[in-house]
């Protein structure tokens, strides 16, 4: 496993505060109040979204068609990723929006803000569905992959809620502030924060299954993906290192093994992993046409071709190129005009 810079761009005039990916785009939010779009298939800057007034605090894609953004101005914006237009701008919180999460069904979203509320949004109708008052400001909210539960993080405390009752079923407390949280499975949580340690917890028993020191400084973000039955944890720290770990769920109590690490020589603030699913599909179909022995030989090398927030060499078919419609190119120039339209609406 190796990590090499593949596409680098000076994206913003201030530090990055949020990043999100779907199968084609990477979007970054910043303290400069803008959202920048990058086309990872073409490896080019695609444009900017200028709807918010305030630091962009959270970004999340749903599928290939929609993006939700939240910011310090208290707004949640719903974007169409085909034309990159703002479908709806919701005044979500009286204070700042600190975190949002979209239900796996795409029909609901949850958000938390500095007004000490947890709000449920009906995304089908674009309106508020439920408001729950919290005792303190939560700074992270996250759905489980199956959508049966969700968690909120308040400083160093994780509250686990069940969807059908909307009540707390358990609480996990750590010694120091939690900066990032990730569901590895429906019932296993990875938690990281200011004490350089990653901990895996069971949502059912709230017991710590495993813990290990991952970095020399606070961990700012944690991400995970599954490939060929292998779970990979990716961590980014203020010490400038990105590290990738192999997690064996059958031996969850064992410390994950380090696959690779890279010193970016930057103070990292957020992380996302872009998975080039299109090339994976092509590789798998090519393998199917080869002999069984070649199929086995290719398995390990394909796993190693995973790239972090970047893609490999372009091996797309002409059919894929034809799918990139002209309206995508039209968007890059007239973005300021679109802002006027959004303001008037």
């Amino acid at each position: 496993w190796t990590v090499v810079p593949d596409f680098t761009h000076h994206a913003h005039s201030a530090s990055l505060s949020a990043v999100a990916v779907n199968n084609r785009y990477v979007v970054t939010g910043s303290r400069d109040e803008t959202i920048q779009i990058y086309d990872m298939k073409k490896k080019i800057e695609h444009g900017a979204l200028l709807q918010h007034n305030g630091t962009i605090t959270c970004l999340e894609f749903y599928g290939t068609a929609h993006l939700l953004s939240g910011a310090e101005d208290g707004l949640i914006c719903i974007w169409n990723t085909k034309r990159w237009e703002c479908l709806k701008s919701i005044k979500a919180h009286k204070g700042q929006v600190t975190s949002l999460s979209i239900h796996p069904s795409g029909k609901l979203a949850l958000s938390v803000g500095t007004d000490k509320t947890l709000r449920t949004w009906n995304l089908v109708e674009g309106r508020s569905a439920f408001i729950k008052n919290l005792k303190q400001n939560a700074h992270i909210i996250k759905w489980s992959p199956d959508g049966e539960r969700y968690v909120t993080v308040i400083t160093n405390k994780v509250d686990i809620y069940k969807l059908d009752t909307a009540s707390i079923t358990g609480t996990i407390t750590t010694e120091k502030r939690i900066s990032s949280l990730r569901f590895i499975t429906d019932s296993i949580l990875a938690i990281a924060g200011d004490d350089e340690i990653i901990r895996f917890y069971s949502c059912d028993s709230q017991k710590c299954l495993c813990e290990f020191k991952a970095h020399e400084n606070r961990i700012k973000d944690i991400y995970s993906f599954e490939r060929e039955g292998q779970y990979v944890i990716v961590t980014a720290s203020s010490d400038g290192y990105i590290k990738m770990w192999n997690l064996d769920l059958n031996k969850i109590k064992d410390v994950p093994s380090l696959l690779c690490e890279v010193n970016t020589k930057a103070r990292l603030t957020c992380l996302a992993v872009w998975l080039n699913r299109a090339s994976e599909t092509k590789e798998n179909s090519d393998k199917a046409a080869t002999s069984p022995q070649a199929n086995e030989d290719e398995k390990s090398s394909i796993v190693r071709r995973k790239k972090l927030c970047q893609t490999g060499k372009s091996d797309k078919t002409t059919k894929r190129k034809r799918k990139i419609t002209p309206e995508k190119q039209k968007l890059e120039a007239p973005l300021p005009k679109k802002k006027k339209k959004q303001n008037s609406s």
Side-chain angles (χ1 to χ4, degrees):
W1 287 68
T2 55
V3 183
V4 293
D6 192 55
F7 171 76
T8 308
H9 193 269
H10 191 85
H12 297 272
S13 58
S15 62
L16 273 73
S17 50
V19 60
V21 297
N22 70 359
N23 65 340
R24 178 165 182 179
Y25 295 102
V26 171
V27 292
T28 58
S30 167
R31 295 183 183 277
D32 66 8
E33 305 181 357
T34 68
I35 300 169
Q36 298 285 346
I37 310 162
Y38 296 92
D39 187 329
M40 292 306 295
K41 300 283 179 74
K42 296 181 179 179
K43 295 185 190 170
I44 56 169
E45 185 181 7
H46 193 71
L49 305 176
L50 311 170
Q51 187 78 7
H52 290 284
N53 294 308
T55 297
I56 311 301
T57 54
C58 42
L59 295 164
E60 187 167 329
F61 277 105
Y62 180 73
T64 58
H66 295 95
L67 169 73
L68 265 66
S69 62
E72 286 185 350
D73 56 8
L75 295 178
I76 289 177
C77 293
I78 303 170
W79 303 88
N80 176 314
T81 61
K82 304 298 181 194
R83 295 184 173 84
W84 290 107
E85 60 187 355
C86 185
L87 300 174
K88 195 167 183 73
S89 180
I90 304 166
K91 181 61 180 172
H93 292 269
K94 290 176 183 174
Q96 305 167 8
V97 180
T98 52
S99 181
L100 62 85
S101 185
I102 304 169
H103 189 268
S105 68
K107 295 178 180 179
L108 290 176
L110 296 173
S111 68
V112 288
T114 55
D115 56 1
K116 296 182 183 176
T117 62
L118 187 164
R119 297 180 184 239
T120 307
W121 302 96
N122 180 332
L123 294 181
V124 178
E125 299 177 11
R127 60 175 180 82
S128 175
F130 185 73
I131 300 172
K132 180 181 176 64
N133 291 314
L134 303 173
K135 292 178 181 178
Q136 292 173 278
N137 292 326
H139 63 279
I140 299 173
I141 190 157
K142 192 85 73 179
W143 282 105
S144 64
D146 62 4
E148 293 296 314
R149 62 182 110 198
Y150 56 92
V151 296
T152 61
V153 179
I154 300 171
T155 314
N156 66 332
K157 186 178 73 169
V158 181
D159 286 327
I160 303 163
Y161 290 82
K162 210 169 178 193
L163 173 62
D164 51 6
T165 59
S167 59
I168 296 174
T169 59
T171 300
I172 296 166
T173 306
T174 61
E175 286 184 19
K176 294 194 177 179
R177 186 180 187 273
I178 296 166
S179 57
S180 183
L181 173 147
R182 185 87 182 171
F183 275 96
I184 306 300
T185 67
D186 293 324
S187 60
I188 298 175
L189 270 175
I191 297 172
D194 288 358
D195 54 2
E196 306 99 40
I197 294 172
I198 293 175
R199 295 179 175 89
F200 299 111
Y201 282 91
S202 164
C203 289
D204 301 318
S205 65
Q206 293 89 53
K207 289 181 178 176
C208 184
L209 304 172
C210 172
E211 64 175 55
F212 66 100
K213 184 175 179 179
H215 290 269
E216 295 303 318
N217 208 323
R218 67 183 62 168
I219 299 164
K220 295 297 290 184
D221 213 347
I222 184 169
Y223 212 93
S224 68
F225 62 89
E226 193 225 339
R227 179 75 182 267
E228 304 263 338
Q230 182 180 31
Y231 282 86
V232 179
I233 311 295
V234 190
T235 57
S237 166
S238 295
D239 62 13
Y241 277 88
I242 295 171
K243 295 186 180 183
M244 301 178 76
W245 310 82
N246 178 31
L247 175 65
D248 188 344
L249 288 179
N250 297 321
K251 301 174 183 174
I252 190 72
K253 292 185 179 180
D254 294 350
V255 174
S257 55
L258 183 66
L259 294 168
C260 64
E261 62 179 37
V262 60
N263 187 358
T264 63
K265 297 178 181 175
R267 187 173 170 273
L268 302 174
T269 55
C270 48
L271 167 91
V273 176
W274 182 69
L275 304 173
N276 192 352
R277 295 294 189 193
S279 66
E280 280 181 35
T281 307
K282 184 178 183 300
E283 286 164 0
N284 290 337
S285 63
D286 289 347
K287 282 193 299 169
T290 64
S291 67
Q293 182 58 46
N295 190 13
E296 288 300 313
D297 293 342
E298 280 290 307
K299 270 189 181 177
S300 59
S301 64
I302 285 168
V303 171
R304 286 168 175 76
R305 282 203 286 270
K306 180 63 59 198
K307 292 294 180 76
L308 199 68
C309 287
Q310 51 223 1
T311 173
K313 298 292 181 188
S314 178
D315 59 349
K316 311 295 172 289
T317 60
T318 51
K319 186 179 175 185
R320 279 223 162 260
K321 286 178 182 171
R322 283 203 298 274
K323 281 188 180 177
I324 301 167
T325 54
E327 65 185 15
K328 294 281 196 290
Q329 282 94 32
K330 287 180 196 169
L331 281 168
E332 293 178 68
L335 274 170
K337 287 185 184 175
K338 294 216 163 191
K339 183 174 184 293
K340 285 182 187 172
K341 268 189 191 175
Q342 292 155 3
N343 289 343
S344 63
S345 65

